[in-house]
Amino acid sequence: MRILLLASAFNSLTQRIHCDLREQGHTVGVELIPGREPPAAAVERFAPDLLVAPMLTRAVPEDVWRHHPVLIVHPGPPGDRGPSALDWAITDGAAAWGVTVLQATAEMDGGPVWASVPFAVRPCDKSELYRTEVADAAAEAVALAVERWAGGSFVPAAGATGPLRPYHAQEFRRIDWAVDGTGDVLRRLRAADSQPGVLDVLFGREYYLHGGHREDRLRGEPGALLATRDGALCRATADGAVWIPQLRPRREPGGPATFKLPAAHVLGDALTGVPEVPVTPAAAACRDTWSELRYRERADVGYLEFAFPGGAMSTGQCERLLAAYRAACERPTAVLVLGPARDFFSNGIHLNVIEAAADPGEESWRNINAMDDLVEAVLTTEKPTVSALAGNAAAGGLMLALAADEVSCRASAVLNPHYRLMGLYGSEYWTRTLPRRVGEEQARRLTGAALPVGAHEAARLGLVDRVRDDGTAGFRAWVEREAAALAAEPELTERLLAKKQRRSAEERERPLAAYRAHELARMRETFFDPDAPYHALRRAFVHRTPAAGTPEHLRGQAPRRPGEPGPAPVGLGDATEVRVRPVTAMVWDAGT
């Protein structure tokens, strides 16, 4: 079928549905609303058999749903209605929740139900839940609903008629640090981690708190700031303490827009006297505390896990991960596995930290060099390495994954092997690793088309080596079994020798330093050119500026009239030469 996705942003779930529907053989286009033209006109141009709305922040226009079937993805079980479904579920401590696909009607979230899929609510931040359990349930529900629609015989269940739950405003999120226990505080923080945050007061100024993690040892006067760690802030509750990774200052009337940054970065000198309390990756793996890095060993395999908010990696985060990686390489293990237990692998450089820097061009340069140092360390590791992608990866973060000898990928992961939507040539040795995996022609196509790639397509292309269709826990258990089997292989010595010989031959053909020099020359030119589109695109991304319309590469081809010739072949050439309108802020993940 021809299926048009209606969405407020091309966010993670919209990308997931886009990949899945293409994998199922459908012709898929995207229309972002509001756009440059009325949605009805865009729909008529694409001429869909069916419309699917994975993520909308406003109602589908009546002149669309009255003339075309529109299936809405609602992140709540049948009967739930309202704009803050996940926020309420997490705040209320729901153990089970669901995703419902219903047909758009005049009644908000009240149309006929075409499919619903339940899921267990894990104790994690809303955006992590959204990109894992919610996304898995939504993908399953959409596939079922589309199949039922195409079949023509399914009779959908009647829609909900109960009252709408209200918007989850700040009045419902407020924390009373003097009386609220850790469980209540965590639920409120986690329900607001991506947007809008929990409004609170620190040092006489209002901030939005983003994200929440339990602390197992530190204690103090309720509300007191107890410690910092790698940019995060530890605050005492009535019966314990929590870590808050990010803050966003409340915007002053008439002042500039604000955005999320590491909490300690935002508070700066106000934290004088608050101690930095580090934890080693190995110690963190044995504790219930916040840490971006964890390291453990099992069956002659080392596992270096990392989890960075939003998947972005600042200069400091890259340097800390590199230090932990080098330490892991020195351990007496046979195999090293790299990747988080859940959610993002990585999205590359940290655009928010760059935007906040006194000199964004200089910080961009520092950040990309730190990323390159990390990728080079993986490329030159002597023992076998495995990247485990439990979740999405994009741009330089994906190239970090591809630096490993083998790449294992959860079937639900969405990969974006391109840079051009941020106006960048790219680095992280992509000109070496990507063509060696998929070939020169496919590398040009992937970087030029700038479309998300599903895990199964990635495996067919050679972008990843193995795909596992499972939940995050099942995927991680499978990765551990595969890694243990690799470590126990009798031929492991021969494998290591072959790796060393291959790397030596590649170095003679063209040294790694040559790839890095070529890429960084292009990146430096962009970073220090004030007129380069990258700077406007970065600002639009950081400030969450809505796209000024649907980019042409997402729209898909309108159906041809009888006798009308198809589109002429387009040579992608050097994908990095494609110019991007500065007002178009296409992001690889818009969170929730």
Side-chain angles (χ1 to χ4, degrees):
M1 292 195 298
R2 292 182 60 82
I3 300 177
L4 182 64
L5 303 182
L6 294 180
S8 296
F10 197 47
N11 77 329
S12 61
L13 181 57
T14 307
Q15 293 183 36
R16 170 77 181 276
I17 301 302
H18 187 275
C19 290
D20 284 2
L21 291 175
R22 284 163 38 212
E23 184 70 22
Q24 294 157 18
H26 302 291
T27 300
V28 184
V30 178
E31 188 65 31
L32 303 182
I33 57 175
R36 294 190 184 90
E37 63 179 332
V43 172
E44 292 302 326
R45 183 183 60 255
F46 187 81
D49 301 303
L50 180 65
L51 291 90
V52 175
M55 192 284 286
L56 284 176
T57 57
R58 60 185 65 204
V60 177
E62 184 175 355
D63 60 353
V64 173
W65 62 258
R66 282 201 179 276
H67 298 95
H68 302 274
V70 183
L71 299 183
I72 306 289
V73 179
H74 176 70
D80 177 79
R81 301 179 65 204
S84 304
L86 278 183
D87 304 61
W88 284 114
I90 295 170
T91 302
D92 293 344
W97 201 239
V99 171
T100 303
V101 176
L102 48 88
Q103 191 166 348
T105 64
E107 194 72 23
M108 181 178 179
D109 298 334
V113 175
W114 284 85
S116 63
V117 174
F119 63 86
V121 180
R122 286 184 53 89
C124 63
D125 288 341
K126 177 175 64 175
S127 57
E128 179 182 327
L129 185 72
Y130 182 82
R131 288 187 293 264
T132 49
E133 284 77 15
V134 174
D136 289 350
E140 183 180 345
V142 167
L144 181 58
V146 168
E147 180 183 347
R148 287 170 171 174
W149 179 272
S153 60
F154 180 79
V155 178
T161 58
L164 286 168
R165 296 191 82 175
Y167 171 71
H168 205 279
Q170 288 296 330
E171 63 184 287
F172 304 114
R173 303 182 190 274
R174 192 171 296 115
I175 296 172
D176 186 339
W177 294 94
V179 300
D180 289 339
T182 300
D184 289 337
V185 171
L186 282 176
R187 283 190 290 273
R188 291 187 176 94
L189 290 171
R190 288 169 171 171
D193 83 301
S194 52
Q195 287 294 328
V198 174
L199 186 62
D200 201 4
V201 176
L202 290 164
F203 302 106
R205 185 177 177 184
E206 290 183 310
Y207 297 90
Y208 292 96
L209 317 181
H210 293 271
H213 302 264
R214 188 182 302 273
E215 163 57 26
D216 58 358
R217 295 180 183 176
L218 297 174
R219 298 292 183 266
E221 186 72 20
L225 302 183
L226 306 178
T228 61
R229 178 182 296 155
D230 296 335
L233 185 66
C234 186
R235 193 171 188 184
T237 66
D239 62 359
V242 297
W243 287 94
I244 302 166
Q246 298 183 105
L247 299 180
R248 175 170 58 93
R250 187 174 190 178
R251 185 175 187 174
E252 300 287 349
T258 62
F259 48 90
K260 290 181 289 186
L261 285 167
H265 181 116
V266 174
L267 295 178
D269 292 342
L271 292 173
T272 299
V274 178
E276 175 79 4
V277 180
V279 63
T280 66
C286 304
R287 290 181 52 190
D288 189 8
T289 188
W290 179 84
S291 178
E292 292 174 328
L293 306 175
R294 282 177 160 76
Y295 178 78
R296 58 189 174 86
E297 295 177 359
R298 184 177 182 182
D300 210 17
V301 179
Y303 297 89
L304 179 56
E305 300 175 354
F306 50 89
F308 301 113
M313 297 167 61
S314 68
T315 301
Q317 288 168 324
C318 290
E319 291 170 347
R320 290 192 292 273
L321 179 54
L322 175 57
Y325 184 82
R326 286 173 171 162
C329 289
E330 294 300 317
R331 296 290 302 162
T333 55
V335 175
L336 181 55
V337 177
L338 185 68
R342 291 169 51 86
D343 206 11
F344 284 122
F345 187 89
S346 172
N347 283 332
I349 60 176
H350 202 311
L351 299 177
N352 284 34
V353 170
I354 289 170
E355 182 67 15
D359 185 340
E362 183 62 37
E363 182 55 35
S364 298
W365 181 246
R366 292 181 65 240
N367 202 163
I368 198 63
N369 273 279
M371 280 291 299
D372 280 8
D373 290 344
L374 177 60
V375 174
E376 182 180 358
V378 178
L379 284 170
T380 57
T381 303
E382 293 187 358
K383 67 179 66 179
T385 54
V386 178
S387 287
L389 277 68
N392 303 343
L398 177 55
M399 302 311 158
L400 169 62
L402 300 187
D405 300 320
E406 298 182 4
V407 181
S408 296
C409 189
R410 196 163 79 91
S412 61
V414 176
L415 311 180
N416 278 279
H418 54 83
Y419 299 83
R420 78 170 179 90
L421 298 182
M422 198 51 64
L424 293 174
Y425 180 78
S427 193
E428 295 98 2
Y429 297 90
W430 79 266
T431 55
R432 176 192 183 276
T433 54
L434 190 60
R436 285 179 186 272
R437 276 195 162 268
V438 302
E440 294 284 352
E441 181 179 350
Q442 284 291 356
R444 286 195 296 271
R445 184 187 71 81
L446 291 170
T447 53
L451 289 171
V453 178
H456 291 294
E457 180 185 0
R460 290 194 298 271
L461 293 173
L463 196 61
V464 304
D465 299 295
R466 291 181 298 277
V467 174
R468 176 76 170 187
D469 192 355
D470 210 336
T472 54
F475 172 76
R476 198 62 180 176
W478 171 74
V479 166
E480 292 191 4
R481 292 194 299 271
E482 293 291 304
L486 174 60
E489 275 189 6
E491 301 83 8
L492 188 61
T493 301
E494 288 78 3
R495 179 191 286 261
L496 290 174
L497 178 61
K499 176 181 177 177
K500 185 176 182 179
Q501 293 172 338
R502 183 173 62 252
R503 199 175 74 205
S504 296
E506 291 170 348
E507 191 72 8
R508 288 192 299 271
E509 178 184 342
R510 189 183 185 193
L512 279 178
Y515 291 98
R516 179 167 180 162
H518 166 72
E519 294 168 359
L520 287 181
R522 299 290 296 271
M523 294 290 270
R524 185 176 180 84
E525 181 181 342
T526 296
F527 290 154
F528 294 101
D529 177 3
D531 297 323
Y534 160 70
H535 299 290
L537 291 166
R538 184 192 68 244
R539 285 191 292 273
F541 174 90
V542 170
H543 293 290
R544 303 176 71 88
T545 304
T550 306
E552 290 301 322
H553 75 285
L554 293 182
R555 281 187 157 167
Q557 293 291 328
R560 297 197 299 271
R561 298 183 180 89
E564 181 181 359
V570 176
L572 290 174
D574 185 348
T576 61
E577 295 301 324
V578 179
R579 305 298 287 178
V580 184
R581 288 189 297 272
V583 295
T584 302
M586 287 309 302
V587 303
W588 28 79
D589 193 277
T592 58

